[in-house]
Amino acid sequence: MAIETMEQRITTIARAINEAAGRAGRAPGSVTVVAVCKTATRAAVDEAYAAGLRHFGENRVPDAIAKFAGAPLPADADLHMIGQLQTNKAGKAVGLFQVIESVDRLSLVHELERLGARRERAIPVLLQVNVAGEEQKAGCDPADVDGLLDAIAAARYLDLQGLMTIAPLVADPEEVRPVFRGLRELRDGLRAGRGLALPVLSMGMSNDYPVAIEEGATHVRIGRAIFGS
Ligand SMILES: *Cc1c(COP(=O)(O)O)cnc(C)c1O
């Protein structure tokens, strides 16, 4: 049996993304891959970069420091924080990551605003929402979204780009379609109700990204399908 190279895996993913976008009547190229490298070596990250990927995701600050602090990614690549961010690690995180996708509580909003003010530079963020409910612990309760958006709106140094969610891991990705649809409908409601642009919807992983794209994902966070398990 032929062993697939990383480049072949990335090509396969790109094709599946364009097919899913096509099914949803969306333009090819409207979806960004965030290569989740939390289990990958730095050499594998560099291989993915060489294959054309420009967005990388880590879920733990210490891992990101070990992999990238001494040897930053090229300037045209972005590092995304996708895991729960402890307030006491936020300072390290804003020095390392270009986007914080996992803003989920008021204390973190306030700490990031303080750090952004100190740097005099707005920090790009996503609000992570726990659309799936009990099965997922990460992200804010949908009932807390309005309060968090008020705090983010009042913050001068947070650049709110959109919403993020994690769907539960299930055998049949159709089962989590309502989670993805829920995040898009939440975004649509906030657009209409609060006049927010919220261009980014970060949702979908290796097992379910085509369904997430059909439901409007602009960013898919893919780990295993690129780097193996
Ligand atoms: C690990 C992780 C992913 C990628 O999951 P895969 O199943 O490896 O594609 C995406 N999002 C978050 C928040 C993760 O922690």
Side-chain angles (χ1 to χ4, degrees), residues 63-107:
D63 292 348
I65 291 172
K67 215 173 287 176
F68 299 105
L73 286 166
D76 65 346
D78 281 350
L79 202 53
H80 296 234
M81 177 57 183
I82 60 171
Q84 181 156 50
L85 181 55
Q86 289 171 256
T87 309
N88 64 4
K89 295 211 170 77
K92 290 252 163 58
V94 300
L96 207 52
F97 292 93
Q98 279 69 47
V99 189
I100 309 290
E101 294 202 10
S102 46
V103 173
D104 61 353
R105 61 193 190 281
L106 269 182
S107 59

Side-chain angles (χ1 to χ4, degrees), residues 123-144:
I123 301 169
V125 299
L126 303 184
L127 182 63
Q128 182 179 358
V129 185
N130 181 2
V131 178
E134 281 173 25
E135 295 159 86
Q136 260 301 334
K137 282 185 276 293
C140 73
D141 193 305
D144 295 335

Side-chain angles (χ1 to χ4, degrees), residues 36 38 59 82 164 166 205-206 221-224:
V36 177
K38 63 192 180 196
N59 65 342
I82 60 171
M164 182 272 225
I166 304 176
M205 318 201 292
S206 292
R221 306 179 308 269
I222 302 182
R224 286 169 299 151

